[in-house]
């Protein structure tokens, strides 16, 4: 049986590579990186991070969560109907093609797939294309329990990714305020692909693909499907810097995922609770999005030009500014004893004593701190800071 399972896993990987959602997500990640770099060059004449960062992060940051969910799915025997995965694929592909990034929360995509499968069963709908045909399924016979638990695990992964990863790449852009001044807003757009090993009833797939490997445990046939669960997140922030606000959103989503899992476990005793849990989960996720969106419907900006000094709009990775511990939203008041307000004044002050460059910084708590770092004479213009100042756009 071990050899059959190994063959099944290898085959699942091959099928995963043939899934169109994988390549749509890859193309969209490339586009997100390209558009971000183009925007940064438009407003600041340079890019902040590499244009392929979105594509690399799409696979780099989600694999651990995918592995944990897959292990829980396989060991726990959390089988899902094949119709559910087909509908989930269609929903995910549609959201990707139409650029509905925020619609790619697992509670939305998996909740909608659940509703569709239930509707097909209730109204006796079926679908056929080429050699593939599927129909709805009575989810109250146990499938709603596993779907709800897997949805909760997906939402937990979403919350962790938002909390830990989303803040790492946030792109600043210049925006005109209602008073005609300029300020900085930040856009975060992320796509993560989680290759999750789902277990489905093994007798279903061979009906369409006779050579699909499957295995039998205690007389029951199962098959593995390595499915790309796509998670998307998009957010604009004005009132707070992203590093302060995005972790709060992540924690809210994380709590929602735990609530969904509790509902899934309760559905074991009363299946209808699973449907109620998914419906409530969709509503709560919408409330989370709306709540944090309303916070930014304001003319108050966390990063804007100030008479106190030079406000940091972005810090380039691996730069002297990063090594000095400078943060977005902080105010540089003096460089080598000279007050600074613009980028040109900053670099002129740096040339006075680059070997022992001293900065007086007003941090986010309005407390003064001093920092210093060696800036080589040929590299003074690459300290790695983008400032909030009036620009010709």
């Amino acid at each position: 049986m071990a050899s059959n399972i190994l063959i099944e896993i290898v085959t699942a990987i091959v099928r995963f590579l043939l899934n169109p959602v994988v390549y749509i997500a890859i193309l969209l990640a490339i586009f997100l990186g390209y558009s971000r770099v183009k925007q940064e060059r438009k407003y600041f004449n340079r890019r902040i991070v590499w244009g392929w960062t979105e594509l690399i992060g799409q696979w780099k940051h989600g694999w651990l969560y995918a592995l944990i969910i897959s292990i829980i799915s396989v060991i726990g025997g959390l089988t899902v109907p094949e119709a559910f995965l087909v509908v989930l694929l269609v929903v995910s592909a549609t959201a990707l093609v139409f650029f509905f990034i925020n619609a790619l929360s697992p509670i939305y995509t998996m909740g909608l797939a659940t509703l569709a499968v239930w509707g097909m069963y209730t109204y006796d709908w079926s679908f056929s294309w080429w050699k593939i045909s599927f129909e709805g399924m009575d989810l109250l016979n146990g499938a709603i329990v596993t779907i709800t638990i897997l949805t909760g695990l997906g939402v937990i992964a979403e919350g962790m990714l938002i909390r830990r990863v989303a803040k790492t790449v946030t792109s600043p852009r210049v925006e005109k305020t209602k008073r005609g001044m300029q300020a900085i807003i930040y856009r975060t757009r992320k796509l993560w692909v989680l290759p999750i090993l789902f277990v489905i009833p093994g007798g279903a797939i061979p009906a369409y693909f006779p050579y699909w490997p499957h295995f039998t445990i205690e007389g029951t046939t199962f098959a593995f499907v390595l499915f790309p669960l796509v998670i998307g997140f998009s957010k604009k922030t004005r009132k707070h810097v992203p590093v302060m606000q995005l972790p709060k959103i992540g924690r809210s989503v994380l709590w929602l995922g735990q609530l969904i899992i509790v509902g899934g476990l309760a559905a074991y005793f009363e299946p209808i609770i699973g449907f109620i849990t998914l419906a409530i989960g969709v509503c709560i996720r919408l409330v989370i999005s709306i709540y944090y969106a309303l916070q930014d419907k304001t003319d108050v900006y966390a990063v804007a030009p100030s008479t106190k000094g030079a406000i940091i709009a972005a810090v380039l990775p691996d730069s002297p500014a990063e090594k000095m511990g400078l943060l977005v939203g902080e105010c540089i008041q003096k460089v080598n004893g000279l007050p600074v307000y613009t980028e040109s004044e900053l670099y002129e002050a740096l040339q006075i004593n680059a070997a022992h460059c001293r900065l007086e910084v007003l941090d986010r708590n309005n407390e003064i701190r001093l920092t210093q770092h060696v800036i080589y004479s040929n590299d003074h213009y690459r300290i790695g800071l983008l400032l909030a100042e009036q620009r010709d756009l």
Side-chain angles (χ1 to χ4, degrees), residues 21 24 88-100 104:
V21 168
I24 298 175
L88 181 57
L89 184 150
V90 173
V91 171
S92 300
T94 303
L96 287 168
V97 169
F98 289 96
F99 212 62
F100 298 149
L104 288 165

Side-chain angles (χ1 to χ4, degrees), residues 116-135:
V117 172
W118 174 82
M120 291 172 62
Y121 173 79
T122 303
Y123 298 101
D124 197 24
W125 294 339
S126 61
F127 176 81
S128 298
W129 178 74
W130 192 46
K131 296 181 179 181
I132 303 175
S133 63
F134 64 93
E135 55 188 17

